Amino acid sequence: MIRKPTLIAAAFCSVFVSSSVLAKITADEAARLGTDLTPIGAEKSANKDGSIPEWTGGITTPPADYKPGMHHPDPFADDKVLFTIDKSNVDKYKDLLSPGQIELFNTYPDTFKMNIYPTRRSASYPQFVYDATKKYATTAELVEGGNGIKNTAVGVPFPIPKDGLEAIWNHLLRFRGLAVERYAGQAAPTASGSYNYVGFDEQLLVEYSNPKSTPEQLQESNILFKFKQKVTEPARLAGTALLVHETMDQILTPRQAWTYNSGQRRVRRAPNVAYDAPGTAADSLRTTDDFDMFNGSPNRYNWTLKGKQELYIPYNSYKLHSDKLTYDDILQAGHINPEHVRYEKHRVWVVEANLKEGTRHIYKKRVFYIDEDSWQVHVADIYDNRDQMYRVAMSHGLNYYEVPTHWSTLDVYHDLNSRRYLAIGLDNQEKMYDFSKTLNDNEFTSSALRREGR
Protein backbone atom coordinates (compact mmCIF):
# COMPACT_ATOMS: atom_id res chain seq x y z
CA MET A 1 0.00 0.00 0.00
CA ILE A 2 1.31 3.46 -0.88
CA ARG A 3 0.97 5.96 1.95
CA LYS A 4 0.76 9.69 1.55
CA PRO A 5 3.41 11.74 3.37
CA THR A 6 2.44 14.00 6.23
CA LEU A 7 2.60 17.64 5.19
CA ILE A 8 3.80 20.43 7.44
CA ALA A 9 2.07 23.79 7.23
CA ALA A 10 4.44 26.62 6.40
CA ALA A 11 3.48 30.05 7.73
CA PHE A 12 4.47 31.76 4.53
CA CYS A 13 3.04 29.19 2.15
CA SER A 14 -0.14 29.96 0.26
CA VAL A 15 -1.32 26.90 -1.68
CA PHE A 16 -3.88 25.96 -4.29
CA VAL A 17 -3.75 29.42 -5.91
CA SER A 18 -4.01 29.92 -9.66
CA SER A 19 -0.87 31.46 -11.14
CA SER A 20 -3.01 33.88 -13.14
CA VAL A 21 -4.19 35.65 -9.96
CA LEU A 22 -1.01 35.53 -7.90
CA ALA A 23 0.13 38.71 -6.22
CA LYS A 24 3.82 39.49 -6.13
CA ILE A 25 5.40 39.25 -2.72
CA THR A 26 5.42 42.45 -0.71
CA ALA A 27 8.39 44.44 0.53
CA ASP A 28 7.60 43.22 4.05
CA GLU A 29 7.74 39.61 2.86
CA ALA A 30 11.00 40.22 1.00
CA ALA A 31 12.46 41.75 4.16
CA ARG A 32 12.29 38.30 5.76
CA LEU A 33 15.02 37.07 3.41
CA GLY A 34 18.19 36.90 5.47
CA THR A 35 16.33 37.27 8.76
CA ASP A 36 13.95 34.46 9.78
CA LEU A 37 14.32 33.04 6.26
CA THR A 38 17.58 32.23 4.53
CA PRO A 39 18.60 34.49 1.63
CA ILE A 40 16.79 32.17 -0.81
CA GLY A 41 13.66 31.58 1.26
CA ALA A 42 14.22 28.50 3.46
CA GLU A 43 13.27 28.44 7.12
CA LYS A 44 16.47 29.41 8.90
CA SER A 45 15.52 27.89 12.25
CA ALA A 46 15.89 24.30 13.38
CA ASN A 47 12.88 22.01 13.52
CA LYS A 48 11.15 21.26 16.82
CA ASP A 49 13.28 18.33 17.93
CA GLY A 50 16.54 19.69 16.53
CA SER A 51 17.04 16.81 14.10
CA ILE A 52 17.17 19.47 11.36
CA PRO A 53 19.58 22.13 12.67
CA GLU A 54 19.54 25.86 12.08
CA TRP A 55 20.99 27.04 8.75
CA THR A 56 24.09 29.07 9.54
CA GLY A 57 25.32 29.81 6.03
CA GLY A 58 26.18 26.38 4.69
CA ILE A 59 29.72 25.61 3.57
CA THR A 60 31.44 28.95 2.96
CA THR A 61 35.04 27.79 2.35
CA PRO A 62 36.50 24.57 0.92
CA PRO A 63 38.21 22.11 3.30
CA ALA A 64 41.91 22.78 3.91
CA ASP A 65 42.96 19.72 1.92
CA TYR A 66 40.95 20.64 -1.18
CA LYS A 67 42.66 21.67 -4.40
CA PRO A 68 40.84 22.61 -7.64
CA GLY A 69 40.37 19.63 -9.89
CA MET A 70 40.00 17.14 -7.05
CA HIS A 71 37.03 14.93 -6.43
CA HIS A 72 35.71 16.85 -3.46
CA PRO A 73 36.97 15.62 -0.06
CA ASP A 74 34.12 14.85 2.36
CA PRO A 75 33.87 17.57 5.02
CA PHE A 76 31.66 15.23 7.07
CA ALA A 77 33.71 12.05 6.74
CA ASP A 78 33.69 11.51 10.52
CA ASP A 79 29.88 11.37 10.70
CA LYS A 80 28.50 7.98 11.70
CA VAL A 81 25.28 6.30 10.60
CA LEU A 82 22.52 7.16 13.08
CA PHE A 83 20.34 4.22 12.04
CA THR A 84 19.35 2.22 8.97
CA ILE A 85 15.89 1.89 7.42
CA ASP A 86 15.13 -1.42 5.74
CA LYS A 87 12.06 -3.51 4.98
CA SER A 88 11.81 -4.67 8.62
CA ASN A 89 11.31 -1.18 10.08
CA VAL A 90 10.14 0.94 7.15
CA ASP A 91 6.65 1.39 8.66
CA LYS A 92 8.21 3.19 11.63
CA TYR A 93 9.54 5.91 9.33
CA LYS A 94 6.79 6.03 6.69
CA ASP A 95 5.88 9.65 7.46
CA LEU A 96 9.42 10.70 6.57
CA LEU A 97 9.52 8.83 3.27
CA SER A 98 7.86 9.51 -0.06
CA PRO A 99 5.43 6.90 -1.45
CA GLY A 100 7.99 6.14 -4.14
CA GLN A 101 10.74 5.51 -1.63
CA ILE A 102 8.44 3.11 0.22
CA GLU A 103 7.83 1.30 -3.05
CA LEU A 104 11.57 0.77 -3.43
CA PHE A 105 11.56 -1.11 -0.11
CA ASN A 106 8.63 -3.20 -1.37
CA THR A 107 10.28 -3.88 -4.73
CA TYR A 108 13.69 -4.81 -3.30
CA PRO A 109 12.91 -6.02 0.23
CA ASP A 110 16.14 -7.97 0.64
CA THR A 111 18.63 -5.40 -0.63
CA PHE A 112 17.33 -1.82 -0.54
CA LYS A 113 18.07 0.19 2.57
CA MET A 114 18.72 3.78 3.63
CA ASN A 115 21.58 4.72 5.96
CA ILE A 116 20.52 7.85 7.85
CA TYR A 117 23.22 10.34 8.86
CA PRO A 118 23.15 13.59 10.87
CA THR A 119 21.61 16.46 8.93
CA ARG A 120 24.12 18.99 7.66
CA ARG A 121 22.59 22.08 6.08
CA SER A 122 25.60 22.57 3.83
CA ALA A 123 23.95 24.28 0.83
CA SER A 124 25.29 27.71 -0.04
CA TYR A 125 25.49 30.08 -3.00
CA PRO A 126 27.59 33.17 -3.79
CA GLN A 127 26.61 36.48 -2.23
CA PHE A 128 25.64 37.94 -5.60
CA VAL A 129 22.93 35.26 -5.90
CA TYR A 130 21.56 36.22 -2.49
CA ASP A 131 21.67 39.93 -3.37
CA ALA A 132 19.84 39.42 -6.67
CA THR A 133 17.22 37.19 -5.03
CA LYS A 134 16.31 39.96 -2.62
CA LYS A 135 16.58 42.71 -5.26
CA TYR A 136 14.09 41.10 -7.64
CA ALA A 137 11.91 39.29 -5.09
CA THR A 138 9.12 41.87 -5.39
CA THR A 139 9.23 42.18 -9.19
CA ALA A 140 9.67 38.62 -10.50
CA GLU A 141 6.59 37.16 -12.14
CA LEU A 142 5.46 34.38 -14.43
CA VAL A 143 4.49 35.11 -18.01
CA GLU A 144 0.95 34.19 -19.02
CA GLY A 145 0.25 30.54 -18.25
CA GLY A 146 3.46 30.18 -16.28
CA ASN A 147 5.44 29.14 -19.35
CA GLY A 148 8.25 31.58 -18.67
CA ILE A 149 9.38 34.33 -16.32
CA LYS A 150 10.14 38.03 -16.46
CA ASN A 151 11.41 40.95 -14.39
CA THR A 152 14.11 38.93 -12.66
CA ALA A 153 17.70 37.80 -13.12
CA VAL A 154 20.54 35.88 -11.43
CA GLY A 155 18.83 34.87 -8.18
CA VAL A 156 16.04 32.55 -7.09
CA PRO A 157 13.01 34.18 -8.76
CA PHE A 158 10.36 33.20 -6.19
CA PRO A 159 11.99 32.71 -2.78
CA ILE A 160 8.56 32.80 -1.14
CA PRO A 161 6.55 30.80 -3.69
CA LYS A 162 2.81 31.23 -3.96
CA ASP A 163 2.11 28.16 -6.11
CA GLY A 164 3.67 25.08 -7.64
CA LEU A 165 4.73 26.77 -10.88
CA GLU A 166 6.79 29.31 -8.99
CA ALA A 167 8.42 26.54 -6.97
CA ILE A 168 9.37 24.49 -10.04
CA TRP A 169 10.79 27.59 -11.74
CA ASN A 170 13.02 28.00 -8.68
CA HIS A 171 14.39 24.53 -9.39
CA LEU A 172 14.84 25.29 -13.08
CA LEU A 173 16.75 28.51 -12.34
CA ARG A 174 18.70 27.52 -9.21
CA PHE A 175 22.33 28.59 -9.33
CA ARG A 176 24.67 25.96 -10.84
CA GLY A 177 27.63 28.16 -11.61
CA LEU A 178 28.16 30.45 -14.59
CA ALA A 179 29.90 28.11 -17.02
CA VAL A 180 30.82 24.49 -16.43
CA GLU A 181 32.30 21.60 -18.35
CA ARG A 182 31.28 18.18 -17.05
CA TYR A 183 32.87 14.84 -17.72
CA ALA A 184 30.61 11.99 -16.70
CA GLY A 185 28.50 9.18 -18.00
CA GLN A 186 25.52 6.96 -17.46
CA ALA A 187 24.70 3.29 -17.15
CA ALA A 188 21.48 1.28 -17.21
CA PRO A 189 22.16 -2.05 -15.49
CA THR A 190 20.09 -5.03 -16.58
CA ALA A 191 18.08 -7.05 -14.07
CA SER A 192 21.19 -9.17 -13.50
CA GLY A 193 23.37 -6.10 -12.85
CA SER A 194 25.46 -6.07 -16.05
CA TYR A 195 25.85 -2.69 -17.74
CA ASN A 196 27.51 -0.71 -20.52
CA TYR A 197 28.96 2.70 -19.74
CA VAL A 198 28.01 5.65 -21.97
CA GLY A 199 30.38 8.61 -21.63
CA PHE A 200 29.46 12.27 -22.10
CA ASP A 201 31.25 15.59 -22.34
CA GLU A 202 28.85 18.40 -21.47
CA GLN A 203 29.11 22.17 -21.44
CA LEU A 204 26.67 24.55 -19.80
CA LEU A 205 26.63 28.33 -20.16
CA VAL A 206 24.07 29.97 -17.84
CA GLU A 207 23.29 33.47 -19.03
CA TYR A 208 20.56 33.88 -16.42
CA SER A 209 23.06 33.47 -13.55
CA ASN A 210 25.68 35.91 -14.83
CA PRO A 211 25.99 38.61 -12.14
CA LYS A 212 26.02 41.22 -14.91
CA SER A 213 22.68 40.04 -16.33
CA THR A 214 19.63 42.27 -15.97
CA PRO A 215 15.95 41.52 -16.56
CA GLU A 216 16.04 43.82 -19.58
CA GLN A 217 19.00 42.01 -21.17
CA LEU A 218 17.46 38.61 -20.56
CA GLN A 219 14.15 39.72 -22.02
CA GLU A 220 15.92 41.00 -25.13
CA SER A 221 18.01 37.84 -25.68
CA ASN A 222 15.27 35.52 -24.38
CA ILE A 223 17.95 32.96 -23.43
CA LEU A 224 18.29 31.39 -19.99
CA PHE A 225 21.11 28.98 -20.73
CA LYS A 226 22.83 27.02 -23.47
CA PHE A 227 23.73 23.34 -23.17
CA LYS A 228 25.87 21.09 -25.36
CA GLN A 229 26.40 17.36 -24.95
CA LYS A 230 28.66 14.98 -26.88
CA VAL A 231 28.79 11.19 -26.52
CA THR A 232 32.39 10.03 -26.10
CA GLU A 233 31.88 6.27 -25.73
CA PRO A 234 31.07 3.53 -26.73
CA ALA A 235 32.50 3.76 -30.24
CA ARG A 236 29.18 3.06 -31.96
CA LEU A 237 27.68 6.21 -30.38
CA ALA A 238 30.76 8.42 -30.14
CA GLY A 239 30.32 11.79 -31.83
CA THR A 240 26.55 11.95 -31.44
CA ALA A 241 25.86 15.42 -30.08
CA LEU A 242 23.04 17.62 -28.80
CA LEU A 243 22.66 21.40 -28.50
CA VAL A 244 19.90 23.16 -26.57
CA HIS A 245 19.06 26.85 -26.19
CA GLU A 246 16.59 27.25 -23.30
CA THR A 247 14.41 30.34 -23.52
CA MET A 248 13.14 32.66 -20.82
CA ASP A 249 9.72 33.25 -22.38
CA GLN A 250 8.76 29.93 -23.95
CA ILE A 251 5.53 31.33 -25.35
CA LEU A 252 7.50 33.87 -27.38
CA THR A 253 10.10 31.28 -28.46
CA PRO A 254 9.97 27.59 -27.50
CA ARG A 255 13.13 25.66 -26.66
CA GLN A 256 15.52 25.43 -29.61
CA ALA A 257 17.45 22.17 -30.09
CA TRP A 258 19.75 20.59 -32.66
CA THR A 259 21.29 17.11 -32.93
CA TYR A 260 24.35 15.87 -34.78
CA ASN A 261 24.30 12.31 -36.07
CA SER A 262 27.85 10.95 -36.39
CA GLY A 263 26.77 8.38 -39.01
CA GLN A 264 25.10 10.89 -41.29
CA ARG A 265 27.44 13.75 -40.35
CA ARG A 266 24.54 16.17 -40.39
CA VAL A 267 23.11 18.69 -37.97
CA ARG A 268 19.34 18.67 -37.76
CA ARG A 269 16.80 20.74 -35.92
CA ALA A 270 15.30 18.66 -33.12
CA PRO A 271 11.98 20.11 -31.96
CA ASN A 272 11.14 16.77 -30.32
CA VAL A 273 13.94 17.06 -27.75
CA ALA A 274 11.38 17.85 -25.07
CA TYR A 275 8.65 16.40 -22.86
CA ASP A 276 8.43 12.59 -22.97
CA ALA A 277 10.78 11.94 -25.88
CA PRO A 278 13.26 9.23 -24.78
CA GLY A 279 16.49 10.44 -23.19
CA THR A 280 19.81 9.99 -25.00
CA ALA A 281 21.02 6.36 -24.96
CA ALA A 282 18.88 5.75 -21.87
CA ASP A 283 17.24 2.42 -22.80
CA SER A 284 13.88 4.25 -22.52
CA LEU A 285 14.35 4.51 -18.74
CA ARG A 286 13.86 8.26 -18.64
CA THR A 287 12.17 10.99 -20.63
CA THR A 288 13.84 14.13 -21.96
CA ASP A 289 12.17 16.24 -19.27
CA ASP A 290 13.41 13.86 -16.55
CA PHE A 291 16.97 15.12 -17.06
CA ASP A 292 18.13 17.11 -14.02
CA MET A 293 14.99 15.70 -12.29
CA PHE A 294 12.83 18.11 -14.31
CA ASN A 295 13.67 20.46 -17.16
CA GLY A 296 11.95 22.31 -19.97
CA SER A 297 8.51 23.76 -20.35
CA PRO A 298 6.02 23.08 -17.55
CA ASN A 299 3.03 23.79 -19.79
CA ARG A 300 1.60 20.24 -20.01
CA TYR A 301 0.84 20.04 -16.29
CA ASN A 302 -1.24 21.75 -13.66
CA TRP A 303 1.07 22.53 -10.74
CA THR A 304 0.03 22.59 -7.10
CA LEU A 305 2.11 23.60 -4.11
CA LYS A 306 1.08 21.10 -1.43
CA GLY A 307 3.13 22.54 1.41
CA LYS A 308 6.24 21.33 3.20
CA GLN A 309 7.27 18.16 4.93
CA GLU A 310 10.34 16.61 6.50
CA LEU A 311 11.82 13.87 4.33
CA TYR A 312 14.86 11.63 4.21
CA ILE A 313 16.66 12.60 1.02
CA PRO A 314 20.10 11.90 -0.49
CA TYR A 315 22.40 14.71 0.68
CA ASN A 316 26.09 15.52 1.13
CA SER A 317 26.85 12.60 -1.16
CA TYR A 318 30.63 12.98 -1.03
CA LYS A 319 31.16 9.27 -0.38
CA LEU A 320 29.22 8.35 -3.53
CA HIS A 321 31.18 11.05 -5.41
CA SER A 322 34.61 9.73 -4.37
CA ASP A 323 37.29 8.79 -6.91
CA LYS A 324 38.15 5.90 -4.58
CA LEU A 325 35.07 4.10 -5.94
CA THR A 326 34.77 2.36 -9.29
CA TYR A 327 31.53 2.03 -11.21
CA ASP A 328 31.47 -1.65 -10.28
CA ASP A 329 31.44 -0.56 -6.64
CA ILE A 330 28.35 1.57 -7.24
CA LEU A 331 26.27 -0.27 -9.82
CA GLN A 332 24.47 -3.48 -8.91
CA ALA A 333 21.21 -5.25 -9.78
CA GLY A 334 18.04 -3.35 -8.87
CA HIS A 335 19.58 -0.19 -7.42
CA ILE A 336 22.92 1.41 -6.65
CA ASN A 337 24.92 0.04 -3.71
CA PRO A 338 23.25 1.48 -0.58
CA GLU A 339 26.49 1.30 1.43
CA HIS A 340 27.77 4.35 -0.47
CA VAL A 341 24.62 6.47 -0.12
CA ARG A 342 24.04 9.08 2.58
CA TYR A 343 20.50 10.14 3.51
CA GLU A 344 19.60 13.04 5.81
CA LYS A 345 16.39 14.57 7.10
CA HIS A 346 15.58 17.88 5.42
CA ARG A 347 12.55 20.09 4.91
CA VAL A 348 11.26 19.92 1.36
CA TRP A 349 8.61 21.68 -0.66
CA VAL A 350 6.09 19.22 -2.09
CA VAL A 351 4.95 20.12 -5.61
CA GLU A 352 2.41 18.01 -7.49
CA ALA A 353 2.11 18.11 -11.29
CA ASN A 354 -1.02 16.64 -12.90
CA LEU A 355 -1.30 16.23 -16.66
CA LYS A 356 -3.66 18.74 -18.23
CA GLU A 357 -6.75 17.46 -19.95
CA GLY A 358 -6.22 17.28 -23.68
CA THR A 359 -2.43 16.99 -23.49
CA ARG A 360 -0.28 13.87 -23.63
CA HIS A 361 2.69 12.55 -21.69
CA ILE A 362 3.58 9.05 -20.49
CA TYR A 363 3.52 10.46 -16.93
CA LYS A 364 0.05 11.33 -15.64
CA LYS A 365 1.26 12.66 -12.29
CA ARG A 366 4.61 13.68 -10.83
CA VAL A 367 5.33 14.68 -7.26
CA PHE A 368 8.54 16.62 -6.70
CA TYR A 369 10.27 17.00 -3.33
CA ILE A 370 12.40 20.16 -3.47
CA ASP A 371 15.10 20.89 -0.90
CA GLU A 372 14.30 24.21 0.80
CA ASP A 373 17.99 25.15 1.15
CA SER A 374 18.91 24.84 -2.53
CA TRP A 375 15.71 24.49 -4.63
CA GLN A 376 17.16 21.24 -6.01
CA VAL A 377 14.58 18.51 -6.65
CA HIS A 378 15.95 15.58 -4.64
CA VAL A 379 13.14 13.06 -5.01
CA ALA A 380 10.45 12.59 -7.67
CA ASP A 381 7.56 10.11 -7.53
CA ILE A 382 6.20 9.44 -11.01
CA TYR A 383 2.82 7.84 -11.88
CA ASP A 384 1.62 6.28 -15.13
CA ASN A 385 -1.74 6.72 -16.84
CA ARG A 386 -3.24 3.97 -14.67
CA ASP A 387 -2.39 6.03 -11.56
CA GLN A 388 0.21 3.44 -10.56
CA MET A 389 3.68 4.30 -9.27
CA TYR A 390 5.85 4.00 -12.37
CA ARG A 391 9.23 5.49 -11.59
CA VAL A 392 11.09 6.91 -8.62
CA ALA A 393 13.97 9.32 -9.15
CA MET A 394 16.52 10.47 -6.58
CA SER A 395 19.20 13.13 -6.95
CA HIS A 396 22.33 12.67 -4.85
CA GLY A 397 23.53 16.19 -4.15
CA LEU A 398 26.51 17.85 -2.52
CA ASN A 399 28.07 21.28 -2.14
CA TYR A 400 30.67 21.98 -4.81
CA TYR A 401 32.29 24.34 -2.37
CA GLU A 402 34.79 25.96 -4.74
CA VAL A 403 31.86 27.69 -6.50
CA PRO A 404 29.84 27.33 -4.19
CA THR A 405 26.76 25.54 -5.45
CA HIS A 406 24.59 22.67 -4.30
CA TRP A 407 24.16 20.32 -7.26
CA SER A 408 23.85 16.64 -8.03
CA THR A 409 26.73 14.19 -8.39
CA LEU A 410 24.44 11.34 -9.51
CA ASP A 411 20.78 11.14 -10.56
CA VAL A 412 19.16 7.70 -10.40
CA TYR A 413 15.86 6.86 -12.13
CA HIS A 414 14.23 3.62 -10.93
CA ASP A 415 11.72 1.93 -13.24
CA LEU A 416 9.52 -0.24 -11.01
CA ASN A 417 7.99 -2.20 -13.89
CA SER A 418 11.22 -3.39 -15.47
CA ARG A 419 13.09 -3.50 -12.15
CA ARG A 420 15.89 -1.56 -13.80
CA TYR A 421 17.37 1.86 -13.23
CA LEU A 422 19.39 4.52 -15.00
CA ALA A 423 22.30 6.23 -13.22
CA ILE A 424 23.33 9.58 -14.78
CA GLY A 425 26.41 11.53 -13.71
CA LEU A 426 28.88 8.73 -13.01
CA ASP A 427 32.09 10.70 -12.57
CA ASN A 428 34.20 8.70 -10.11
CA GLN A 429 36.68 7.61 -12.79
CA GLU A 430 36.53 10.82 -14.82
CA LYS A 431 38.18 14.22 -14.65
CA MET A 432 36.31 16.46 -12.22
CA TYR A 433 33.85 19.15 -13.34
CA ASP A 434 35.47 22.44 -14.31
CA PHE A 435 33.48 25.39 -12.99
CA SER A 436 36.24 27.84 -14.02
CA LYS A 437 35.82 27.08 -17.72
CA THR A 438 35.55 30.13 -19.98
CA LEU A 439 32.77 29.54 -22.51
CA ASN A 440 31.24 31.89 -25.05
CA ASP A 441 28.23 31.96 -27.34
CA ASN A 442 30.28 30.89 -30.39
CA GLU A 443 30.69 27.45 -28.80
CA PHE A 444 26.92 26.93 -28.74
CA THR A 445 26.00 27.19 -32.42
CA SER A 446 25.01 24.51 -34.92
CA SER A 447 28.44 24.90 -36.55
CA ALA A 448 30.13 24.30 -33.22
CA LEU A 449 27.94 21.22 -32.76
CA ARG A 450 29.16 19.85 -36.08
CA ARG A 451 32.78 20.46 -35.09
CA GLU A 452 32.23 18.70 -31.76
CA GLY A 453 30.77 15.66 -33.46
CA ARG A 454 33.66 15.34 -35.88
Side-chain angles (χ1 to χ4, degrees):
M1 179 175 65
I2 298 175
R3 298 173 174 86
K4 294 182 179 179
T6 302
L7 297 181
I8 301 172
F12 51 92
C13 174
S14 174
V15 300
F16 309 118
V17 182
S18 168
S19 61
S20 63
V21 297
L22 289 178
K24 299 173 188 175
I25 69 171
T26 66
D28 287 343
E29 288 176 306
R32 299 178 62 194
L33 300 174
T35 55
D36 64 308
L37 303 181
T38 73
I40 62 169
E43 297 173 63
K44 185 180 286 187
S45 62
N47 66 348
K48 288 183 179 180
D49 65 7
S51 56
I52 298 175
E54 178 185 8
W55 184 83
T56 57
I59 298 177
T60 56
T61 57
D65 58 345
Y66 171 75
K67 294 180 181 179
M70 294 176 65
H71 280 69
H72 301 72
D74 187 352
F76 312 117
D78 293 334
D79 286 354
K80 305 301 182 186
V81 176
L82 297 176
F83 57 92
T84 298
I85 305 173
D86 57 26
K87 181 60 177 175
S88 69
N89 63 359
V90 65
D91 283 349
K92 178 180 177 181
Y93 301 102
K94 63 182 184 295
D95 289 340
L96 295 167
L97 300 169
S98 80
Q101 288 174 320
I102 293 172
E103 280 302 294
L104 290 175
F105 287 101
N106 293 333
T107 305
Y108 307 105
D110 298 326
T111 58
F112 186 75
K113 65 179 183 179
M114 295 170 62
N115 289 327
I116 308 301
Y117 287 80
T119 298
R120 304 286 192 171
R121 296 181 71 179
S122 57
S124 61
Y125 293 127
Q127 186 62 45
F128 69 82
V129 174
Y130 298 152
D131 293 343
T133 298
K134 193 160 191 174
K135 177 179 180 180
Y136 298 116
T138 58
T139 63
E141 58 184 313
L142 299 170
V143 300
E144 184 180 354
N147 200 29
I149 59 165
K150 61 181 179 180
N151 301 329
T152 186
V154 186
V156 173
F158 307 107
I160 305 177
K162 304 292 186 179
D163 78 345
L165 265 171
E166 291 188 346
I168 203 65
W169 272 106
N170 288 345
H171 164 77
L172 293 171
L173 296 178
R174 71 199 188 283
F175 182 76
R176 287 165 283 176
L178 305 179
V180 57
E181 187 160 34
R182 303 198 303 176
Y183 313 93
Q186 69 182 29
T190 64
S192 66
S194 63
Y195 65 90
N196 294 312
Y197 179 80
V198 179
F200 295 109
D201 280 355
E202 298 174 341
Q203 294 179 330
L204 177 67
L205 178 64
V206 189
E207 297 192 13
Y208 175 85
S209 296
N210 189 318
K212 296 180 180 179
S213 290
T214 66
E216 294 76 20
Q217 290 170 335
L218 290 170
Q219 185 171 349
E220 181 178 354
S221 70
N222 200 31
I223 294 292
L224 291 173
F225 63 80
K226 296 178 179 179
F227 172 76
K228 185 169 61 178
Q229 179 189 73
K230 180 178 70 173
V231 179
T232 58
E233 58 178 298
R236 62 183 176 83
L237 297 176
T240 301
L242 169 69
L243 174 66
V244 172
H245 291 183
E246 195 77 342
T247 58
M248 188 165 180
D249 183 339
Q250 297 183 9
I251 292 177
L252 181 65
T253 307
R255 164 187 285 177
Q256 302 172 67
W258 299 260
T259 57
Y260 176 80
N261 184 295
S262 57
Q264 299 175 344
R265 297 194 175 189
R266 293 185 61 183
V267 172
R268 295 180 180 273
R269 284 271 191 173
N272 293 328
V273 178
Y275 304 114
D276 58 356
T280 303
D283 276 11
S284 297
L285 292 173
R286 75 164 176 89
T287 61
T288 294
D289 61 8
D290 273 330
F291 189 75
D292 195 35
M293 302 300 281
F294 181 79
N295 76 91
S297 173
N299 69 335
R300 293 194 179 181
Y301 290 92
N302 293 313
W303 298 81
T304 304
L305 188 62
K306 306 292 285 189
K308 272 188 178 179
Q309 78 166 97
E310 295 177 0
L311 195 75
Y312 290 125
I313 61 177
Y315 219 90
N316 290 310
S317 303
Y318 294 96
K319 186 176 181 180
L320 185 63
H321 173 76
S322 170
D323 59 358
K324 304 299 188 293
L325 297 178
T326 68
Y327 302 141
D328 285 347
D329 294 327
I330 295 170
L331 302 169
Q332 62 180 37
H335 50 77
I336 63 173
N337 189 337
E339 296 298 342
H340 305 308
V341 181
R342 176 179 178 133
Y343 293 89
E344 300 178 4
K345 184 194 292 185
H346 287 263
R347 284 184 293 244
V348 297
W349 290 99
V350 183
V351 176
E352 183 174 301
N354 287 279
L355 190 63
K356 290 180 179 177
E357 187 174 353
T359 62
R360 67 160 305 279
H361 198 290
I362 64 170
Y363 302 153
K364 183 177 180 181
K365 184 174 79 170
R366 307 158 91 156
V367 183
F368 297 98
Y369 301 86
I370 307 176
D371 171 40
E372 67 169 348
D373 287 336
S374 65
W375 292 104
Q376 164 82 46
V377 172
H378 270 280
V379 178
D381 290 348
I382 301 168
Y383 298 81
D384 62 21
N385 287 305
R386 301 170 299 161
D387 297 312
Q388 299 296 309
M389 187 72 68
Y390 180 15
R391 290 174 175 165
V392 184
M394 286 196 278
S395 180
H396 300 261
L398 55 85
N399 188 319
Y400 294 86
Y401 32 66
E402 75 274 28
V403 183
T405 179
H406 178 93
W407 200 7
S408 168
T409 182
L410 188 69
D411 292 340
V412 183
Y413 305 82
H414 303 86
D415 187 295
L416 299 178
N417 294 332
S418 67
R419 296 174 65 90
R420 295 183 63 194
Y421 66 95
L422 177 72
I424 301 179
L426 293 162
D427 58 15
N428 309 76
Q429 298 170 244
E430 313 301 331
K431 187 165 63 171
M432 187 32 52
Y433 300 175
D434 184 359
F435 288 94
S436 64
K437 185 78 173 180
T438 299
L439 300 172
N440 59 64
D441 289 331
N442 292 335
E443 297 172 80
F444 294 88
T445 65
S446 58
S447 297
L449 187 68
R450 184 179 293 106
R451 291 194 300 271
E452 287 282 344
R454 290 176 178 171

